[in-house]
């Protein structure tokens, strides 16, 4: 028997969504739904999360757009709604914001059954996820990702945490949600640069796991850049499913999950050398993937790698990193937190969808790849 929830018009009923993917860990499993935010009360019911209070964590930008609607629907379903709003941006992944969040949750009178809804981008998901993992030794967590990065990446896989002055994401835990629900329409309100940056992770998922998917994205790159509805309705769930498939095989990051780091060792070095905030994370990853593809093509000489390289060069990057010193980038890579025993591990491709990890590469070839990636093609400046 399908379950139904009521739209604002009670005569118009929609079937409760079926999950399009799920992540299994041990005896437990969490589903990933694609549904409008108004399905949330019914999804909470379906997951046995029918406690009287619901605690929402969001940021100022997302609150303005989506909090009133979700609050209204939850209250209409008989729940008491409490919320906590953090300032937008990376600075909120901090001890002080975490503490304010703990205070708000505890003053609200949450108990171990109170669901915490993380409504927002990756910052809200990471911060609120860590709070859910640690409040009362763990309360039910629901991810409602609203940015592209959050929908295809950060809400799936259970990594939560905050930053420390020694580095990003250094304090945290693995904590799995009860379910994840992507309302794909929310990405339409994302600032354009955030959207384009998020595409880097989508493209990455194609490159490391699904050559046909990659091909589709680059053939429809115009539609993707302009957020054409039918394209994104298909692409976002596929990209999220790829992430789910990878993390399920490696919940605690001991093996294949490293492939998700494709383009990131180079990208992190660029983010550091250009100064955080100059390049977005996604832009740095796009450039990092160019370096990784140059390198992969030099080592494996496959035409498809060259074609992939040309294809991703079309995605716009609103900064010019060509003046950054390659020597400084080489040094920065050695300081990456994923360096093991002093050796930088690179994720490369033997072919499309065929990634591997190696630490054994001639530094001269890496330098050459850096030069080519940063200088061979123009980057779009705004
Ligand atoms: P973010 O949460 O800062 O969101 C980006 C901006 O978009 C913010 O200003 C936010 O207010 C705004 N926003 C979000 N959704 C919106 C919407 N629908 N409409 C309008 N504005 C909206 O950042 P992000 O890019 O979503 O995520 C980056 C963070 O995610 C980083 O902290 C990164 O470390 C983390 N991350 C975590 C994982 C993981 O596995 N946990 C994976 C990747 C990234
Ligand atoms: Zn990333």
């Amino acid at each position: 028997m399908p379950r139904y929830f009521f739209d604002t018009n009670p005569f118009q009923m929609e079937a409760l969504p079926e999950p399009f993917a799920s992540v299994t860990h041990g005896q437990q499993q969490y589903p990933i739904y694609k549904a409008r935010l108004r399905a949330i009360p019914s999804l909470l019911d379906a997951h046995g999360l029918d406690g009287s209070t619901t605690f929402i964590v969001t940021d100022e930008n997302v609150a303005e757009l989506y909090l009133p609607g979700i609050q209204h629907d939850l209250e209409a379903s008989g729940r008491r709604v409490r919320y906590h709003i953090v300032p937008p941006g990376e600075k909120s992944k901090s001890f002080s914001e975490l503490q304010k969040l703990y205070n708000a949750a505890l003053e609200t009178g949450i108990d171990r059954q109170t669901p915490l809804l993380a409504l927002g981008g990756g910052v809200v998901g990471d911060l609120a996820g860590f709070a859910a993992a640690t409040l009362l030794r763990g309360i039910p967590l629901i991810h409602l990702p609203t940015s592209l990065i959050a929908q295809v990446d950060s809400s799936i896989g259970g990594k939560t945490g905050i930053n420390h002055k020694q580095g990003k994401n250094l304090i945290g835990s693995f904590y799995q949600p009860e379910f994840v629900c992507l309302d794909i329409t929310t990405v339409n309100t994302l600032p354009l640069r955030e959207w384009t940056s998020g595409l880097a992770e989508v493209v990455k998922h194609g490159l490391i796991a699904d050559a046909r998917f990659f091909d589709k994205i680059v053939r429809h790159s115009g539609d993707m850049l302009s957020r054409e509805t039918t394209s994104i309705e298909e692409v976002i769930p596929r990209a999220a499913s790829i992430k789910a498939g990878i993390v399920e095989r490696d919940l605690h990051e001991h093996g294949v999950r490293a492939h998700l780091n494709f383009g990131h060792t180079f990208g992190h070095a660029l983010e550091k050398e250009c100064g955080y905030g100059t390049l977005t994370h996604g832009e740095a990853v796009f450039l990092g993937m160019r370096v990784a593809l140059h390198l992969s093509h030099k080592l494996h000489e496959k035409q498809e790698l060259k074609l992939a390289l040309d294809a991703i060069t079309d995605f716009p990057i609103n900064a010019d990193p060509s003046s950054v010193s390659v020597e400084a980038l080489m040094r920065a890579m050695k300081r990456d937190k994923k360096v093991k025993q002093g050796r930088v591990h690179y994720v490369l491709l033997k072919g499309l969808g065929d990634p591997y990890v190696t630490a054994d590469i001639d530094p001269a070839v890496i330098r050459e790849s850096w030069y080519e990636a940063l200088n061979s093609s123009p980057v779009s400046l705004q």
Side-chain angles (χ1 to χ4, degrees), residues 59-62 65-66 88-90 93 120-126 145-150 153-161 163 168-169 186-191 194 201 243 257 281:
D59 76 15
E60 286 161 10
N61 298 335
V62 178
L65 291 161
Y66 302 108
E90 192 65 29
K93 277 173 59 174
V123 163
V124 165
D126 282 8
T146 59
S147 72
L148 181 56
I149 288 191
D153 194 353
S154 60
S155 66
I156 304 161
K159 281 195 195 174
T160 71
N163 302 326
K168 271 191 71 172
N169 301 323
T186 59
V187 300
N188 286 314
T189 52
L190 261 188
E194 298 290 344
E201 308 291 348
K243 169 98 194 230
R257 200 158 169 164
H281 174 69

Side-chain angles (χ1 to χ4, degrees), residues 153 157-160 169 173-174 176 204 243 246-262 264 268 336-338 340 347:
D153 194 353
K159 281 195 195 174
T160 71
N169 301 323
S173 71
F174 284 97
Q176 311 298 338
K204 179 195 76 181
K243 169 98 194 230
I246 293 176
V247 298
E248 184 170 86
R249 284 159 62 205
D250 181 17
L251 277 179
H252 293 104
E253 205 167 29
H254 300 305
V256 289
R257 200 158 169 164
H259 297 161
L260 291 166
N261 234 17
F262 182 70
H264 279 61
H268 288 154
D336 196 90
K337 69 173 186 243
K338 302 249 157 96
K340 291 181 201 136
V347 184

Side-chain angles (χ1 to χ4, degrees), residues 20 65 69 129 160 169 188 207 216 236 243 269 289 294 313 323 342:
F20 65 86
L65 291 161
T160 71
N169 301 323
N188 286 314
L207 282 169
K216 195 167 206 166
I236 293 177
K243 169 98 194 230
M289 291 193 294
H294 268 289
T313 307
S323 57

